[in-house]
């Protein structure tokens, strides 16, 4: 009996692993096939955004805390990484690490007032925090460069190898994305991931079996911010100039939309959501202007037909979707018909 | 003196509402104690007071010789107490297996480093936890549903899952709040059989709240009857069944 159970279990895991490896392979050979620098840049941006989405997913999709101003941690990482490289002369990897740690510390502090609040107030606090961050970024000119931001961020140099070409940036971001994915995926499939999801689904239920919900919420916020910070600094190095407009509320909304479309509680979903909202508006240039509007329409469609997003778990949606209601109404009608006969 | 759990003069007031008012009762080891009483008579509030969801306004809770009054809900599993809830508190977007494995958190000692890098030590603990959970699933007849999302399963199954989650904690004392409520009579009967079987196998002590007199009469060894937050009667099922106060307050109703 138990053997059979185990076999079945490892089979489904292996299937996922095979799927991941195929996608990874495609990502690795993409630059060999696609010679269009424009498209490669879109993918590169996708990988960076995937990492922010992983962080957002951990906080919102896995722990159930509505962090609406998540782009703030991305912004903090961007500035921290850029300034570390430019002003402190840190190397690339050290700057990225520094950016992640700074963002994580800030995330840790912001998580504290969020612990005892309901979901909507967590949304309010994090939104206000984003506004505070933007105010500082715009006004503390001596540090942040004010509205002009930080320019002339040096090109990354790793072990003597200078990253400058489109292809080398592509692989650099791919490596960071894959590493982030593996680490977070490991966390999510461990007891820590179970505890986070337990808190999301039913906090009191989780506490009743010994989960320390305060500690785990702080953990999610801190680790989520860490990855946002890392992604932010990668972004700085990639575009070599940042300013406060890169981190406005719209971007936060977009990060959330990426996660919702991909599926709350799914890391691969984060990549798909990031890819969709990065690539589609750019491919159809006329759509780019309506990026947020497009996001809105997709959100409405999601809510109606697939509340759990593309890859989110079915159960996550409950039975609140419009399509579900229609299905249920049909079943009820059929039952009535059958009863009438 | 020195019963397994002693609740002494428990008072739970919410503003002007005296949900539980000076209630005392006890449970002995390996006993199955039933708590009955009309809706709103304070049964659930007794559980909430004992397990630290609310701090008692007054009175004491002594468990296994220790005063545990006002200890936090989270601490209960470490003391050896677990519970289920009247309104299911399960994890609907997680699989059945994961729901049960969460219950094992206190025995899973892998730390963050092991978890992040999936070290051999992590795999060892994880495998132990999985085997432990699978054993409980087998015991509770849930094995074939282990990879299903809990939210997609029928209510009766969800009740069973919450019970299994409380069992995997491996408590000394198990508190069940209306485990059979909302089930049809066949499901209820099966669940009761399961509860008794698990109790005997694991040597649990159980306190169970239920409305269903028939179930109570057949499974509880002793019964505490409550009314408006106070003790109405206490005794064996047949004593309770024949108690004039109980008949008037409870049985007479329906
Ligand atoms: N947190 C609370 N705040 C205010 N009143 C409460 C609270 N919890 C329970 N009560 C009140 O205590 C009484 C007993 O409730 P409860 O213990 O749920 O009854 P039972 O489980 O016996 O049906 C009810 O009148 C209820 O309204
Ligand atoms: Mg109740």
């Amino acid at each position: 009996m138990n053997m059979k159970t185990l076999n079945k279990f490892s089979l489904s895991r292996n299937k996922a692993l095979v799927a991941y490896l195929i996608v990874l392979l495609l990502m690795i050979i993409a630059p060999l096939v696609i010679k269009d620098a424009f498209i490669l840049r879109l993918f590169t941006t996708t990988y960076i955004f995937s990492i922010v989405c992983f962080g957002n997913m951990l906080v919102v999709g896995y722990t159930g805390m509505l962090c609406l101003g998540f782009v703030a941690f991305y912004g903090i990482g961007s500035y921290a990484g850029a300034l570390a490289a430019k002003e402190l002369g840190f190397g690339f990897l050290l700057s990225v690490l520094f950016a992640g740690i700074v963002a994580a510390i800030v995330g840790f502090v912001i998580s504290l007032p969020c612990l005892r609040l309901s979901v909507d107030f967590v949304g309010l606090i994090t939104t206000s925090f984003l506004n505070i961050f933007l105010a500082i970024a715009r006004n503390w000119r001596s540090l942040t460069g004010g509205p002009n931001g930080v320019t002339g961020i040096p090109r990354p140099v790793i072990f003597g190898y200078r990253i400058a070409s489109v292809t080398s940036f592509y692989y650099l971001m791919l490596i960071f994305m894959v590493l982030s994915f593996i680490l977070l995926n490991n966390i999510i499939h461990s007891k820590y991931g179970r505890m986070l999801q337990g808190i999301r689904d039913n906090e009191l239920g989780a506490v009743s079996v010994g989960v320390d919900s305060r500690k785990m919420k702080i953990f999610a916020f801190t680790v989520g911010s860490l990855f946002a910070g890392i992604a932010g600094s990668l972004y700085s190095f990639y575009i070599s100039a940042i300013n406060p407009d890169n981190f406005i509320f719209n971007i936060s909304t977009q990060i959330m939309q990426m996660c919702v479309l991909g599926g709350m509680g799914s890391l691969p979903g984060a990549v798909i959501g990031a890819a969709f909202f990065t690539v589609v508006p750019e491919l159809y240039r006329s759509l780019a202007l309506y990026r947020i509007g497009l996001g809105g329409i997709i959100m409405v469609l999601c809510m109606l037909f697939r509340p759990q997003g593309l890859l989110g778990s079915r159960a996550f949606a409950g039975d609140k979707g419009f399509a579900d209601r229609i299905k249920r109404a049909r079943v009820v009608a059929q039952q009535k018909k059958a009863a009438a006969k | 003196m020195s019963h397994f759990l002693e609740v002494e003069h428990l008072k739970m007031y919410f503003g002007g509402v005296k949900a539980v008012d000076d209630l005392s009762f006890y449970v002995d080891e390996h006993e199955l104690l039933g708590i009955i009483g009309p809706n709103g008579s304070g049964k659930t509030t007794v559980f909430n007071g004992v397990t630290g969801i609310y701090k008692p306004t007054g009175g004491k809770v002594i468990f296994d010789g220790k005063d545990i009054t006002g200890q936090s809900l989270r601490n209960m599993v470490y003391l050896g107490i677990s519970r289920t809830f009247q309104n299911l508190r399960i994890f609907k977007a997680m699989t059945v297996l994961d729901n049960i494995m969460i219950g094992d958190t206190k025995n899973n000692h892998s730390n963050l480093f092991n978890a992040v890098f999936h070290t051999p030590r992590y795999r060892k603990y994880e495998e132990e936890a999985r085997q432990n959970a699978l054993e409980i699933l087998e015991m509770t007849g849930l094995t074939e549903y282990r990879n299903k999302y809990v939210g997609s399963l029928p209510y009766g199954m969800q009740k069973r899952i919450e019970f299994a989650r409380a069992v995997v904690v491996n408590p000394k004392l198990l508190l069940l709040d209306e485990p059979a409520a909302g089930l049809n009579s066949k499901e209820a009967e099966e669940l009761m059989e399961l509860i008794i079987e698990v109790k005997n196998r694991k040597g649990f002590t159980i306190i169970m709240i239920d409305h269903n007199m028939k179930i109570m009469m057949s499974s509880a060894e002793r019964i505490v009857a409550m009314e408006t937050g106070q003790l109405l009667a206490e005794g064996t099922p047949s004593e309770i069944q024949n108690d004039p106060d109980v008949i008037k307050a409870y049985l007479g109703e329906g």
Side-chain angles (χ1 to χ4, degrees):
Chain A
M1 174 58 242
N2 271 346
M3 274 314 288
K4 213 170 124 198
T5 318
L6 281 179
N7 281 342
K8 189 147 185 204
F9 181 79
S10 42
L11 206 70
S12 69
R13 275 214 113 153
N14 284 344
K15 252 189 223 164
L17 192 63
V18 169
Y20 288 155
L21 287 178
I22 291 173
V23 173
L24 179 60
L25 194 70
L26 291 176
M27 286 171 167
I28 291 173
I29 59 172
L32 307 178
V33 183
I34 303 168
K35 292 292 172 201
D36 188 340
F38 176 68
I39 294 184
L40 284 184
R41 281 204 198 96
L42 289 183
F43 283 144
T44 309
T45 311
T46 295
Y47 298 151
I48 297 174
F49 265 97
S50 298
I51 300 173
V52 201
C53 287
F54 294 159
N56 192 51
M57 204 60 111
L58 192 71
V59 178
V60 185
Y62 284 98
T63 317
M65 301 176 83
L66 186 64
C67 184
L68 289 176
F70 198 67
V71 79
F73 303 109
Y74 178 70
I76 288 167
S78 289
Y79 276 98
L83 294 173
K86 214 183 142 188
E87 307 294 336
L88 304 176
F90 284 10
F92 168 69
L93 289 176
L94 193 59
S95 300
V96 172
L97 184 70
F98 176 75
I101 289 172
V102 170
I105 290 171
V106 178
F108 170 81
V109 173
I110 296 302
S111 73
L112 299 178
C114 292
L115 291 177
R116 290 195 173 273
L117 297 177
S118 62
V119 166
D120 27 2
F121 279 97
V122 171
L124 266 180
I125 284 202
T126 52
T127 313
S128 317
F129 173 65
L130 172 58
N131 286 331
I132 294 170
F133 161 73
L134 286 174
I136 293 173
R138 287 194 176 114
N139 295 306
W140 191 355
R141 285 166 194 263
S142 60
L143 182 74
T144 64
N148 298 328
V150 185
T151 51
I153 301 160
R155 289 279 177 227
V157 179
I158 305 172
F159 307 125
Y161 184 78
R162 190 163 172 274
I163 310 281
S165 75
V166 172
T167 319
S168 54
F169 263 116
Y170 176 95
Y171 283 117
L172 179 70
M173 300 314 172
L174 177 60
I175 289 169
F176 269 97
M177 191 275 280
V178 171
L179 286 180
S180 306
F181 181 92
I182 292 172
L183 294 181
L184 276 174
N185 198 48
N186 281 355
I187 291 178
I188 280 155
H189 286 102
S190 73
K191 70 166 180 180
Y192 294 93
R194 286 194 293 270
M195 289 194 274
L196 295 178
Q197 294 172 71
I199 292 168
R200 174 196 70 196
D201 284 5
N202 200 314
E203 187 166 348
L204 196 65
V207 174
S208 81
V209 286
V211 174
D212 189 338
S213 72
R214 291 168 63 89
K215 205 165 114 191
M216 290 316 295
K217 282 178 174 176
I218 295 174
F219 168 78
F221 237 99
T222 308
V223 175
S225 308
L226 173 82
F227 282 93
I230 289 172
S233 66
L234 293 175
Y235 182 70
S236 295
F237 281 103
Y238 180 48
I239 64 168
S240 78
I242 53 167
N243 67 68
D245 287 343
N246 297 132
F247 313 108
I248 55 175
F249 188 72
N250 274 2
I251 310 295
S252 225
T253 309
Q254 199 171 53
I255 292 169
M256 198 63 87
Q257 288 172 343
M258 288 168 172
C259 291
V260 171
L261 175 68
M264 279 297 177
S266 163
L267 285 184
V271 182
I272 291 178
F276 183 88
F277 281 106
T278 309
V279 176
V280 170
E282 293 296 331
L283 284 188
Y284 304 98
R285 252 316 162 59
S286 51
L287 276 182
L289 279 175
Y290 307 106
R291 196 186 283 258
I292 283 294
L294 173 76
I297 292 169
I298 287 171
M299 289 309 97
V300 172
L301 291 177
C302 264
M303 269 185 278
L304 288 180
F305 297 105
R306 213 178 151 81
Q308 78 274 34
L310 292 175
L311 293 185
S313 107
R314 185 72 206 80
F316 204 173
D319 44 12
K320 296 190 188 80
F322 184 58
D324 288 295
R325 291 205 184 139
I326 294 179
K327 219 186 271 168
R328 248 180 309 158
R330 258 202 215 128
V331 172
V332 170
Q334 266 168 6
Q335 280 170 349
K336 269 190 189 153
K337 231 190 217 166
K341 268 182 193 169
Chain B
M1 261 335 255
S2 86
H3 295 287
F4 195 48
L5 176 86
E6 287 175 72
V7 173
E8 297 172 358
H9 306 290
L10 184 70
K11 295 192 184 77
M12 306 277 298
Y13 297 171
F14 300 101
V17 180
K18 296 182 172 180
V20 176
D21 199 11
D22 202 13
L23 179 76
S24 301
F25 65 89
Y26 67 89
V27 193
D28 282 321
E29 207 161 0
H30 309 305
E31 197 180 17
L32 199 167
L33 176 76
I35 299 183
I36 60 168
N39 251 335
S41 57
K43 305 180 296 296
T44 298
T45 308
V46 170
F47 276 12
N48 289 346
V50 169
T51 58
I53 289 187
Y54 297 124
K55 282 217 164 26
T57 316
K60 267 190 190 170
V61 180
I62 315 281
F63 176 62
D64 217 359
K66 250 185 303 182
D67 186 344
I68 62 158
T69 321
Q71 291 233 20
S72 72
L73 175 64
R74 191 175 94 80
N75 258 341
M76 290 302 141
V77 293
Y78 296 95
L79 293 168
I81 301 177
S82 75
R83 67 171 288 180
T84 65
F85 296 85
Q86 187 172 355
N87 315 312
L88 283 178
R89 292 196 168 274
I90 47 177
F91 313 122
K92 293 201 172 170
M94 300 172 72
T95 63
V96 175
L97 184 62
D98 279 349
N99 264 264
I100 309 306
M101 282 176 79
I102 287 193
D104 206 23
T105 300
K106 85 166 161 53
N107 301 318
N108 187 331
H109 300 295
S110 78
N111 59 26
L112 186 60
F113 176 85
N114 290 320
V116 169
F117 296 102
H118 277 207
T119 59
R121 179 177 281 249
Y122 157 83
R123 280 194 218 114
K124 180 178 143 264
Y125 283 128
E126 195 71 0
E127 192 47 42
E128 275 172 20
R130 179 171 304 121
Q131 286 306 334
N132 200 5
L134 286 173
E135 190 192 310
I136 301 296
L137 287 179
E138 187 72 34
M139 199 186 289
T140 49
L142 290 164
T143 307
E144 60 178 302
Y145 305 101
R146 67 193 173 280
N147 292 326
K148 287 255 186 317
Y149 286 100
V150 169
S152 67
L153 295 172
Y155 186 74
M157 202 81 80
Q158 296 186 350
K159 280 251 161 189
R160 200 170 265 246
I161 291 161
E162 200 190 39
F163 172 67
R165 184 185 71 189
V167 169
V168 82
V169 169
N170 206 11
K172 289 181 258 177
L173 174 67
L174 185 54
L175 308 179
L176 305 175
D177 195 347
E178 307 212 11
L183 305 186
N184 64 37
S185 59
K186 183 169 159 280
E187 283 176 325
E189 217 167 273
E190 282 171 2
L191 186 65
M192 279 321 301
E193 267 168 33
L194 174 68
I195 290 171
I196 307 271
E197 189 199 320
V198 170
K199 171 181 177 289
N200 291 339
R201 255 168 92 169
K202 293 263 178 185
F204 289 159
T205 307
I206 293 182
I207 306 178
M208 183 174 83
I209 296 173
D210 214 303
H211 263 315
N212 190 326
M213 277 305 262
K214 213 176 104 207
I215 282 182
M216 273 301 182
M217 292 305 149
S218 61
S219 50
E221 289 152 38
R222 209 154 47 79
I223 292 178
V224 164
M226 288 179 70
E227 198 195 12
T228 55
Q230 291 172 325
L231 185 76
L232 186 64
E234 186 246 297
T236 63
S238 59
E239 281 168 4
I240 291 294
Q241 216 162 5
N242 299 316
D243 188 293
D245 286 340
V246 175
I247 292 171
K248 207 172 95 200
Y250 189 75
L251 298 176
E253 254 183 15

